Amino acid sequence: MEHKRRLGVLGGMGPKATSVFIDQIIDATAADRDQDHIDMIILNHASLPDRTHVILENNPEPFLREIEKDIRLLEHAEVAYIAMPCNTAHYYIEEMQRMTSIPIIDMVEETMKEIHAQHGDGCKVGILATNGTLHSGIYSKSALKYNMVPHVPEPEVQQQVMNIIYKDIKGGFQVDPKETEEIIHNLVTIDGCQCIIIACTELSIIPFSAEAKRVSIDAMDVLVRRSIELSQQRD
């Protein structure tokens, strides 16, 4: 009997973003019955050290120690792939991959490949992310690898983005999409970006307008599609 491949989810970074990721996988899966959905093992490890602080303080050991325990649990659960719905944590994806033979889906790489396929060489890409993600350079380096031009917001705009992520979304407050949509609009019309990456899974929670979605690509959406595609393959 053939079995679909089980997906492991390294979650909790943050918990709300993980729940949105799971909901999106369920909603995006073509299914007429329960058995048509993919099997998932979900670790909602909310007490993990904050990824931005870990990167800015250059102290990854406590974070990686805890992540390795999670990976061992997923190995024991015999997952075929691991998805990690946290952009910032992808700074350590190489260290994580060395911990296991189970492929970890690279959300950054998959997203940049998709942007390049749509826009080609020379595309100016705006990056909406945490300070940790921007400081890590993971998206900027990947953009350059694909012959695209990375663009990060000005400091005052970046502080606005951080407030939306940490004070509003992580703080449990209702978020007005218009504030983030104005940032996206200005990155396109003033800074000349051709595509904006929603490179923080907390921002993926925001219900953007059709116009904002037209000029942006959400890394969470890319991870959802790739996770479904890989998990629907049968052994």
Side-chain angles (χ1 to χ4, degrees), residues 55-71:
I55 291 172
L56 295 180
E57 294 169 7
N58 192 27
N59 183 31
E61 287 77 16
F63 172 73
L64 292 174
R65 276 199 305 269
E66 293 301 311
I67 281 289
E68 186 163 15
K69 295 175 187 177
D70 293 342
I71 288 174

Side-chain angles (χ1 to χ4, degrees), residues 68-119:
E68 186 163 15
K69 295 175 187 177
D70 293 342
I71 288 174
R72 296 291 167 258
L73 287 171
L74 294 177
E75 287 177 333
H76 185 70
E78 298 181 339
V79 303
Y81 295 95
I82 295 173
M84 184 169 56
C86 174
N87 288 273
T88 310
H90 276 69
Y91 180 62
Y92 298 110
I93 193 169
E94 291 181 3
E95 288 89 339
M96 295 179 199
Q97 190 62 79
R98 286 196 291 269
M99 297 173 183
T100 182
S101 60
I102 300 170
I104 302 174
I105 304 168
D106 191 332
M107 177 162 55
V108 176
E109 181 75 5
E110 296 291 341
T111 299
M112 299 312 297
K113 283 196 296 187
E114 191 161 316
I115 293 174
H116 186 262
Q118 292 180 18
H119 297 279

